[in-house]
Amino acid sequence: MISSFSQRFMKDALTGTVQEVTEPQQIQDTEPTIQCLVCSFTGNEMRFIKQAEREPRSVTPTDPSYS
């Protein structure tokens, strides 16, 4: 799941030094944003499910014996 945060800060226009910083505040989303760690698809949960249904992962043969 991906979360978004907002943080305000003020910089001096001439020197660029940061003069004031506020605490980060989480931005409330109406739906969570999901990212797949396999294909990197990012979207809301329903789009994530539909994408997974459209592009099912192929079965990868595995060898249970270890050398």
Side-chain angles (χ1 to χ4, degrees):
M1 249 179 18
I2 298 173
S3 298
S4 299
F5 289 84
S6 172
Q7 184 175 20
R8 293 201 250 167
F9 61 91
M10 186 182 337
K11 283 184 160 186
D12 181 276
L14 299 176
T15 65
T17 58
V18 177
Q19 296 177 330
E20 185 180 323
V21 179
T22 63
E23 290 294 319
Q25 295 179 358
Q26 187 170 9
I27 298 172
Q28 297 299 321
D29 295 326
T30 56
E31 291 185 63
T33 301
I34 310 291
Q35 181 178 32
C36 177
L37 296 178
V38 174
C39 68
S40 298
F41 176 80
T42 304
N44 67 32
E45 191 170 15
M46 187 50 93
R47 288 190 66 204
F48 184 82
I49 291 168
K50 292 298 181 188
Q51 182 72 14
E53 290 172 347
R54 191 172 336 148
E55 296 182 22
R57 293 182 63 190
S58 60
V59 177
T60 307
T62 58
D63 182 11
S65 61
Y66 296 98
S67 305

